[in-house]
Amino acid sequence: KQRVFQDQKISDLVELAISEFLPAEQRYSKSVLTNIFHLILVYLIRNFSHTQAGNANVSDLEILCFQVMNYIDTHVYSLQKLEDLAPKFNYNYGYLSGLFKRTTGKTISEYYYHRKMETAKALILEQKKTIGEIAEMLGYNLYSFSKAFKKRYGISPKTMQKSKKGLKKP
């Protein structure tokens, strides 16, 4: 009785597909179901394409911020300084930074720091690299890395690494 699909055509097709599983008419069920699911796919693709083209919920500024986040996420090891983002996006860094803050509520620096710490935590828990190697990969010296990590998580990287080793099953 409750609508699961917003598109009535898709809802009707799903209902039709379900009825094909009833034992009354089994003769051409496989063929009918194949055609029904092809139609559902066509309607889903059309609906998706239509909403993508006319999506007024996401502004150009939000898209730009998502692109900046994606760039940071994919270049967390190689990004030397945040000012390097400016030429990548053809904006002045000050403008880009202010826009990012207004749109996301965080500064680019806060986002970058957060991503670096999340990456560090994942690498520490993975236990394939030493803490020194992780610090170096993320552009820190060991002291500043340990200090930043402890500030973020409330424990040192070494303590987290040891607690993870204690959780390992023999």
Side-chain angles (χ1 to χ4, degrees):
K1 301 221 175 200
Q2 291 181 336
R3 284 181 67 183
V4 175
F5 298 98
Q6 292 182 351
D7 187 321
Q8 188 60 44
K9 293 177 210 166
I10 295 173
S11 181
D12 292 342
L13 286 169
V14 168
E15 189 176 325
L16 187 60
I18 291 170
S19 71
E20 279 298 309
F21 288 105
L22 299 175
E25 286 289 325
Q26 294 288 325
R27 236 172 125 175
Y28 297 103
S29 288
K30 185 176 179 179
S31 182
V32 170
L33 284 170
T34 301
N35 289 325
I36 289 171
F37 288 123
H38 281 128
L39 277 171
I40 289 172
L41 280 173
V42 168
Y43 286 134
L44 286 171
I45 291 168
R46 283 182 183 169
N47 286 346
F48 182 74
S49 298
H50 184 268
T51 54
Q52 287 289 31
N55 194 349
N57 294 333
V58 180
S59 71
D60 289 342
L61 299 179
E62 289 171 317
I63 291 170
L64 177 62
C65 289
F66 288 130
Q67 289 171 337
V68 169
M69 288 178 193
N70 183 53
Y71 187 86
I72 289 171
D73 292 348
T74 56
H75 293 83
V76 73
Y77 299 114
S78 61
L79 191 60
Q80 296 298 312
K81 51 187 178 172
L82 293 175
E83 289 77 16
D84 293 342
L85 293 170
K88 302 285 183 207
F89 294 97
N90 296 319
Y91 285 98
N92 171 289
Y93 179 74
Y95 174 78
L96 189 62
S97 180
L99 176 99
F100 192 89
K101 172 76 172 166
R102 285 189 304 278
T103 306
T104 66
K106 287 183 178 181
T107 65
I108 293 176
S109 180
E110 290 169 333
Y111 182 79
Y112 183 49
Y113 167 76
H114 173 76
R115 296 307 302 149
K116 284 172 91 168
M117 290 298 108
E118 289 295 316
T119 302
K121 180 181 175 184
L123 289 170
I124 288 170
L125 294 176
E126 191 178 72
Q127 296 186 355
K128 291 185 178 177
K129 299 202 177 296
T130 67
I131 293 172
E133 289 171 330
I134 295 168
E136 188 178 321
M137 287 172 62
L138 294 170
Y140 287 98
N141 66 43
L142 187 56
Y143 175 76
S144 61
F145 173 71
S146 294
K147 188 175 176 180
F149 192 89
K150 187 168 186 169
K151 180 181 177 188
R152 172 82 169 116
Y153 294 108
I155 61 171
S156 71
K158 195 69 154 172
T159 304
M160 181 174 278
Q161 190 178 50
K162 285 180 183 176
S163 68
K164 174 67 178 171
K165 283 182 183 176
L167 296 174
K168 263 189 171 178
K169 294 181 181 177

